[in-house]
Amino acid sequence: MPKMKTKKSAAKRFRVRAGGSIKRGQAFKRHILTKKTTKTKRQLRGSAGVHETNVDSVRAMMPYA
C-alpha cells in the first residue's frame, strides 16, 4: 500500500502541539500595517489555535502529524 502524502502547504502553515491541538499563525499582519491601529497589531502577535470546526480538515491534510 503506498504511503499517504502530506499537503506541503498545510505542513508549512500548521504545527501539532504536544497535547494534540493544532496551532496556526495569525493572519493580517504581513502588509498594509500603517492603517491598522497599534492595538490591533499588538493583538495579532503570537500564534492561535485552529478552530474546532476546521480541525478535521487540517488533520486530513497532514496524516502523519
Side-chain angles (χ1 to χ4, degrees):
M1 199 68 194
K3 294 180 182 178
M4 296 173 66
K5 285 195 172 182
T6 297
K7 298 284 186 190
K8 298 309 282 184
S9 59
K12 294 169 188 174
R13 286 170 171 82
F14 304 110
R15 294 284 179 264
V16 179
R17 293 180 176 139
S21 62
I22 302 170
K23 76 174 182 178
R24 63 172 176 85
Q26 280 281 9
F28 306 109
K29 191 82 194 308
R30 297 292 179 195
H31 59 98
I32 316 175
L33 297 173
T34 52
K35 64 175 72 171
K36 294 178 181 136
T37 63
T38 308
K39 178 183 177 181
T40 302
K41 291 184 278 191
R42 185 174 61 247
Q43 290 176 342
L44 289 173
R45 284 182 199 152
S47 59
V50 173
H51 197 266
E52 61 264 10
T53 57
N54 299 322
V55 168
D56 290 337
S57 61
V58 173
R59 287 199 190 280
M61 291 187 274
M62 301 180 2
Y64 298 108

